[in-house]
Amino acid sequence: MIVRLQRQGALVVLVILLALGGLLFRTFLTTYTLGNLAVQASFLAMIALGMTLVIISGGIDLSVGSVYALSGVLAAYGSTRWGLAGALILPLLVSGVIGLIQGTLIARLRMAPFIVTLCGLLFARGLLQLITSEGSTTYLVPPGSAFRWLGDGTVLVVIAVIAYLVGGVVLQRTPFGMRLFAVGGNEDAASLMGLPVARTKISVYVVSGLLAGCAGVMSAAQLGSGVTVIGVGLELNAIAAVVIGGTMLTGGSGAVSGTLAGVALLFVIQELINQLGRFNSNMQNVVSGAVLVVVVVLQTLLSRARR
């Protein structure tokens, strides 16, 4: 009962807020409003999926916001030079390499994930500024490019849904997923059991980088350009969504379904604030921060109750 409450609490709150929004505002539960929310949430959802896997393994990835922005610029640049193939391969290759380097430093050299990924954040953002001449150069996706098709709202949502379905299966039904839980729960015990701890850690950071890169590709396709100012602080929103969804920051526990509910909850809160019209956009951060504090406190109490 306690485990179920911990994992499904975000979903319960989400349903309550949706019902409340539907009662207060006639346009809240319309297909148009919910569709727009789904499209807006698809980028954060992709990043939060990778963050979920990393946190379950006992790590953290602060670089995803900058990797997301960098990948968007690289996708726009690649589309102007090599078409659809360049728009897809170049950003995913770079984001995957960044994840590989970070994972190797963390797993092989036993460096702190917080420090390594903070350096990754600075590196990706610095490379972004270098490529765009400190933001003065904007790469535009050619109007007739097939790459723009990926920016369609329905396509974005479908990609995110497929990613979560695959992520859920991988996490719950494959040896890799079981290793993530084992490594996050007790790394020393996992090592004594003969599990490939280092390889598992490296793999999860590569996956996180690739998902952040994929989100950046999706963003460039939708916006039609590589925007340099996006992604600032997005890693914190991803962590918030993961924690609200019931994944423990200490690792070893969590589910992608909870993360998806956490992402949806953040955007529903934002939409409710927008519908009220009496608060500015900063109010969302205040409310989200308050929700996160409550969730962390409840998680701590539930964790103690389980023990």
Side-chain angles (χ1 to χ4, degrees):
M1 178 65 182
I2 292 177
V3 175
R4 183 177 299 178
L5 178 61
Q6 180 180 330
R7 292 185 176 180
Q8 299 182 359
L11 180 60
V12 173
V13 176
L14 175 63
V15 172
I16 293 173
L17 288 183
L18 286 172
L20 180 62
L23 291 174
L24 294 176
F25 309 105
R26 289 186 303 174
T27 61
F28 189 80
L29 292 180
T30 61
T31 305
Y32 177 79
T33 300
L34 296 179
N36 280 341
L37 286 178
V39 173
Q40 294 171 27
S42 60
F43 310 110
L44 178 60
M46 295 292 290
I47 295 173
L49 175 58
M51 187 70 75
T52 302
L53 302 180
V54 170
I55 291 179
I56 287 175
S57 73
I60 198 78
D61 191 351
L62 300 179
S63 69
V64 290
S66 295
V67 171
Y68 163 70
L70 173 62
S71 298
V73 170
L74 291 176
Y77 173 77
S79 69
T80 62
R81 298 293 300 272
W82 305 290
L84 178 61
L88 297 177
I89 296 174
L90 179 61
L92 293 179
L93 178 62
V94 172
S95 60
V97 169
I98 291 175
L100 176 62
I101 293 173
Q102 291 182 150
T104 301
L105 293 175
I106 293 167
R108 299 297 184 186
L109 301 184
R110 296 186 176 275
M111 297 177 65
F114 181 89
I115 300 299
V116 172
T117 58
L118 179 60
C119 293
L121 180 156
L122 297 174
F123 171 81
R125 188 64 63 174
L127 182 58
L128 167 65
Q129 295 295 324
L130 178 64
I131 294 172
T132 61
S133 301
E134 298 185 359
S136 62
T137 301
T138 300
Y139 296 104
L140 301 176
V141 179
S145 174
F147 177 56
R148 283 183 177 267
W149 174 79
L150 290 176
D152 179 76
T154 302
V155 175
L156 296 178
V157 174
V158 169
I159 291 174
V161 170
I162 291 175
Y164 269 80
L165 291 175
V166 173
V169 171
V170 169
L171 192 59
Q172 301 293 337
R173 303 294 181 185
T174 67
F176 177 73
M178 297 301 102
R179 290 199 298 268
L180 284 183
F181 286 112
V183 171
N186 191 321
E187 184 177 332
D188 292 333
S191 181
L192 290 174
M193 291 169 59
L195 298 179
V197 174
R199 190 172 67 199
T200 300
K201 282 187 170 185
I202 293 172
S203 298
V204 80
Y205 281 96
V206 172
V207 170
S208 179
L210 288 173
L211 286 170
C214 185
V217 171
M218 293 160 58
S219 174
Q222 186 196 45
L223 298 174
S225 65
V227 181
T228 60
V229 296
I230 62 173
V232 177
L234 194 59
E235 61 279 352
L236 302 181
N237 290 335
I239 294 171
V242 172
V243 174
I244 289 172
T247 298
M248 300 292 292
L249 279 172
T250 52
S253 174
V256 298
S257 58
T259 296
L260 187 59
V263 172
L265 184 57
L266 290 178
F267 279 87
V268 167
I269 291 173
Q270 179 184 0
E271 183 61 23
L272 282 173
I273 293 173
N274 292 337
Q275 293 273 5
L276 287 171
R278 286 177 286 180
F279 305 101
N280 58 33
S281 59
N282 293 324
M283 190 63 186
Q284 183 209 351
N285 295 328
V286 175
V287 175
S288 299
V291 171
L292 184 59
V293 169
V294 172
V295 168
V296 171
V297 171
L298 289 176
Q299 279 194 354
T300 302
L301 295 176
L302 289 173
S303 179
R304 291 175 180 175
R306 287 175 61 188
R307 289 197 293 267

